[in-house]
Amino acid sequence: MSNPVFPFSAIIGQEDMKLALQIAAVDSTLGGVLVFGDRGTGKTTAMRGLAALLPEITVVEGCEFSCDPAQEKTLCNACHAARSQGALNVTTKSAPVIDLPLGATEDRVLGALDIEKALSQGIKSFEPGLLAAANRGFLYIDEVNLLEDNIVDILLDVSVSGINVVERDGLSIRHPARFILVGSGNPEEGELRPQLLDRFGLSVDVTTSLSIDERMKIVRLRDDFDRNPASFADHYQEKDSEIRISIVSARTRLDQVDVDDQMLRRMAELCMALGTDGLRGELTLMRACRALAALEGDLCVKESHIGRMASMALSHRLRRDPLDDSGSLARVQRAMDTVGLAA
Amino acid sequence: MSVESESRRASQLQLALGLTAVDIFLAYPEVVSGLLIRGSTGSARECLRHHIEERFTLHRLSTHTTQEQLYGCIDTQQTLATGKIAHQEGLLSRFSKDVLQIDVTRAMPVSLSRHLADAVDKLAPIDRPGLVVFDENAEDVSGVADSSLAERLPIHIFVPGVTLAELAHAESIRDKGGRQQRASALSLDSMRLVKLDDALLSEVVKLCVQLGIVSCRAATHCASIARAHAALRGRSEVSEQDVAIAVQLTLAPRASLLPDTNQTEPAEPIVRENPPDDNTSAQSEHQIKEPQDTQPQDNMPAPSCPDNATDDASPPVNPDQAIDERLIAAAKAVLPSQVLNGLTQRTTQFRRMTNPSSAGRSETFFMGGNRGRATGVRRSRTRGRGEKLDVLETIKCSIPHQRIRRLDKSTQPDAGSSDSGKLQIRSSDIRVTNYRQTARTTTVFVVDASGSTALQRLSEAKGAVELLLGECYVRRDRVALITFRATIATLELPPTRSLTRAKRALNGLPGGGGTPLASGIQMATDMVRQLRQAGEIPVVVFMTDASANIALDGCASRMEAALDAEQQARQLALLGVQTLFIDTSTRPRPQAQKLASAMRANYLPLPRADARLLPSILRASA
């Protein structure tokens, strides 16, 4: 039995973080969310809460990689073979949320030779790892800035290609591994590698400027939840399902949202002013704005969307100068002022 | 009142509090996921452990425990011996009814703390063991108190050094309360019905802010411990007494700031203003001074006994104080003096900062084991338990022996003829993957911040540290900064890779005063030892003019100071660590050179240090 999950809609404050998580859930190609902040500010709670309210996904029955039967291109080898022989059996399950703990071994992450089968039956088979389990769901890394280098390397490879290639123990396997990466950490304890930093679509600094009243409400709600999780969850069920519905409808609306040239130009101007490397900044900003518009029921991206998404999508992509003290948020703000965008 | 008796009373208070903590843990293991008990080994710690054993079996968990061992894995040897898959049950489920004891002497690997934190988050209380972490360091040098696990363990306590007589006395008081009731779990439902009113809760939350505790978890812990304590005392509503105890158990040890209270000197370890005849004074005082006066404790509310008078190890209730002041006094009362002093020092530094978060100290100490990059195979030391079996190599190793093993069939009567085609693998064939982690370099800067070194040198040193850190963050190295001034050396920046933290530490760096060089060298030597133990490569950089004038014992004597410094330098030389000595005096002098040679350092006179030059000098001399 596992501990009950605190409802997402009962989380007080931290609006930026909640919005970023919802946007990442709307557009899974965005590259996930990085949440930086102190302990005990609701990072883990928000992540688990959101995952619990998301709709179920359709999967191929019995597939270890949760293949999507509708997407022929991303099927794993086994599902491909099964498909060529006939129709696939389909079932639904909740979107996986996989924790990647610090100190996880490469074997656990990538998958490895199934020792159980190798020893008992003499069969060479693949035991899927965390990447396989996270396919089409969330991969959550708490304290991502303390992650070992070799695991970071794996993530860098997989997060770009969406395919996990395993060449080890005499195995040669490739399987789909598309997941929404959610990382959290405290910058006081160590920096994140720039390469990995860049892979995250959005980044949010969880501020702790909570008022006494807010803090009291948080403690009170948490206390109520701990004492009676079931009735607490019932109470918030309706609000949670409202959020679910808005995410689901935003997903369907995503393709219809229009980003016109004028808006793209504004985004490019902003990125130029900030001097971000490469084009990932513009791309992410565009996708984030589109997802935000879809989430709010708009059919085209407006300047206000750019203003709200700019710091989330760009603040972690700035070149850093060890001797420059002004925070990245301030720099984004400055750049927005120069190109005439309002936050 | 003498300093000694003050500290005795503080430790008695801590002991009484520790016993209360254990009582709460034993009564409501579902609410209290675990305890963090800080302080050196000794009778008080053993006493707490002993009490936990009244109800739970304790199993010791090594700090090297892997995820496989926690959650279960395949028992390779058993599997080979029987030919059937044998699983080794994970420690978490195997001991779910018991308590795991984790002894931390040096540092707790981040991965273990993470795995256990996940277990607390995700597994229901009945599916996981209780956790008791014994951290030998009262000060937070091991990083345990700031780990993700400690964040989730509600109760943190410090164990004091006490005499056996005091201990026996505290125990006898406790025994009167009836061991039977304590040693069995109380009803959870009744505890959950205990009321906690908004006024008290708002005090808790305000106190969190005043103590610089950012995490909302701490306040939640505090609320639930207050409720548990009230239930334990048979109350149906949380009283201020309960909150005071809960504050001492949950918030005080997590404090990163000390709030201003007008009546206290910062270094004073305990705040007491009550007259001796005040009948609401702390239990511990009653225990020690007037044992005959103490009424028997009872879990049921006894109408004849106003229970707030005797049953709590809480601070005195002074009617003149407002409730928040009383709670702050309660929080201060339980902190060991060295922690308290550390806090007041930090307070002055951090007050200026906009975000007074609990500065993260959980630096990573990764050690051997199953992580890092794979580098070849080796024979298994633990017969394949919790290690990564390399199947191909294992088979290769067994091949040369196949013929002789088949002939040796007599020893295995059950191996019939049908098995003749199968490989016969023995446990001696098992090969496991070897992992290696590249050792990290940590550069320890020891910077003279005394008056004799012009303040401008200090800013140069700061610049050098920041620039070096800018590079380290690409190379994944770490930097630490020790300064010495006035009478003693201080660790301004514990080993870190974080630019954010380094800047914050460097910004508030004070300068001026005497030159306690020996103390600086001593601290560097200690740090080198610690880093070595953690498997890292230390490099030490001194920046001083070597004109020591404060000796190790703090007295101002040039002669003794120079002697002490030289002696400490020889100690450092014994460690054979790579050292760079930058002479910052405007005219290089022989005494600095002599000191540098005593510590076997590369001597580098640098009458005009240039911050931008330093990193390249370091690289060249490294």
Side-chain angles (χ1 to χ4, degrees), chain A residues 162-182:
Chain A
I163 295 168
N164 181 23
V165 181
V166 183
E167 294 285 355
R168 56 194 313 194
D169 295 339
L171 289 164
S172 178
I173 297 270
R174 46 175 49 222
H175 69 79
R178 289 172 195 282
F179 44 81
I180 300 169
L181 196 59
V182 179

Side-chain angles (χ1 to χ4, degrees), chain A residues 1 3 39-40 99 102 107 142-143 148 150 169 187-188 191 208 216 220 223 227 320 323 325, chain B residues 110 114 121-122 127 146 192 196 198 202 213-214 216 227 371-372 388 473 498-499 501 503 612:
Chain A
M1 199 182 88
N3 268 346
R39 293 214 173 93
D99 283 87
L102 288 185
D107 289 356
D142 198 2
E143 295 178 275
E148 289 99 324
N150 53 330
D169 295 339
E188 294 257 312
E191 307 279 331
T208 42
M216 256 187 84
R220 183 61 89 186
D223 195 44
R227 286 192 293 161
R320 53 189 318 165
L323 299 181
D325 267 338
Chain B
V110 172
R114 192 67 245 167
D121 271 359
K122 282 193 237 149
D127 291 331
D146 218 56
R192 287 186 168 144
L196 171 61
D198 275 344
S202 82
I213 302 169
V214 173
C216 287
R227 186 173 275 125
R371 296 188 303 278
K388 152 80 174 148
Y473 135 94
S498 164
L499 219 50
R501 258 195 94 190
K503 271 188 195 154
R612 307 221 166 235

